[in-house]
């Protein structure tokens, strides 16, 4: 499959293919609040457990796994959460498999 390449949210006149397209798709899912995209309200990540005073890393990880199930080409997902209590931010380091290839992603939430 092929898609337009996004670079920090900006469209580049280039394409991503195969494994990189799957990773980009997963990043888009994780960067979208669940219900935010009116054409696909079920797409995205529930962020209530990721950020704020009542954040819960274990429930947040479950929310991330649930969101990534929307991208069925990504398998064997592993999530490591790094929480910064000082500024209430969280970094998710994700690994998974796209076919036979190991994929790695890092997503920051503040």
């Amino acid at each position: 499959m092929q898609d337009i390449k996004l670079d920090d949210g900006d469209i580049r006149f280039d394409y991503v293919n195969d494994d990189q397209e799957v990773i980009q798709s997963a990043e888009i899912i994780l960067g979208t609040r669940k219900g935010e995209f009116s054409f696909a309200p079920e797409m995205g990540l529930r962020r209530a457990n990721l950020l704020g005073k009542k954040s819960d890393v274990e429930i947040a990880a479950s929310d991330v796994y649930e969101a990534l199930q929307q991208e069925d080409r990504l398998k064997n997902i592993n999530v490591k959460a790094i929480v910064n209590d000082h500024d209430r931010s969280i970094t998710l380091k994700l690994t998974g498999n796209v076919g036979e290839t190991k994929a790695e992603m890092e997503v920051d939430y503040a």
Side-chain angles (χ1 to χ4, degrees), residues 5 15-27 98 103:
K5 183 171 186 166
Y15 289 96
V16 289
N17 293 310
D18 306 320
D19 299 348
Q20 291 302 314
E21 189 270 331
V22 175
I23 292 168
Q24 179 174 284
S25 174
E27 289 172 341
V98 180

Side-chain angles (χ1 to χ4, degrees), residues 32-99:
T32 304
R33 293 179 198 272
K34 192 164 195 155
E36 177 180 33
F37 188 53
S38 59
F39 294 110
E42 69 284 349
M43 182 187 120
L45 171 65
R46 202 175 349 189
R47 295 188 182 178
N49 295 308
L50 274 175
L51 304 169
K53 292 181 182 180
K54 297 184 180 185
S55 63
D56 185 318
V57 176
E58 289 182 24
I59 296 173
S62 176
D63 291 344
V64 170
Y65 285 116
E66 180 183 316
L68 289 175
Q69 288 177 358
Q70 297 168 40
E71 178 48 78
D72 59 356
R73 298 172 291 175
L74 190 60
K75 306 289 185 199
N76 302 321
I77 301 163
N78 185 13
V79 178
K80 180 180 179 186
I82 300 168
V83 179
N84 183 335
D85 291 325
H86 178 69
D87 65 1
R88 294 190 182 142
S89 67
I90 187 168
T91 299
L92 301 176
K93 294 186 181 241
L94 302 113
T95 59
N97 291 83
V98 180

